């Protein structure tokens, strides 16, 4: 079982007919990865994003989850 953390700079963009905004901020997360066999693993990860927008929308906070299956050759 592999436990890991991640973090860094985040960037997002919203482009609609009403608005075109860019967001910058930071992200942090953690995850687990487990080898089922020598060539197959599963993982789950959580990520938190805090993006500064502008004075009208001071922060956009986003929580995401990710699940994956990896095949190693």
């Amino acid at each position: 079982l592999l436990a890991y953390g991640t973090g860094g700079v985040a960037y997002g963009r919203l482009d609609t007919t009403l608005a075109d905004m860019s967001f910058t901020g930071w992200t942090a997360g953690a995850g687990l990865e487990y080898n089922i066999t020598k060539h197959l693993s599963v993982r789950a990860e959580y990520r938190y994003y805090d993006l500064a927008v502008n004075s009208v929308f001071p922060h956009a906070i986003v929580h995401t989850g990710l699940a994956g299956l990896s095949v190693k050759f």
Side-chain angles (χ1 to χ4, degrees), residues 3-70:
Y4 60 91
T6 182
V9 176
Y11 173 81
R13 184 179 169 93
L14 176 64
D15 187 11
T16 67
T17 56
L18 300 175
D20 183 8
M21 296 186 289
S22 296
F23 316 93
T24 56
W26 61 275
T27 182
L32 297 171
E33 185 166 357
Y34 178 73
N35 287 332
I36 298 171
T37 67
K38 183 178 178 182
H39 298 286
L40 191 64
S41 66
V42 294
R43 68 182 179 278
E45 184 173 313
Y46 165 77
R47 292 183 190 166
Y48 172 88
Y49 298 89
D50 186 347
L51 302 171
V53 183
N54 56 36
S55 60
V56 177
F57 303 105
H59 288 276
I61 295 176
V62 180
H63 303 270
T64 63
L66 172 72
L69 178 68
S70 297

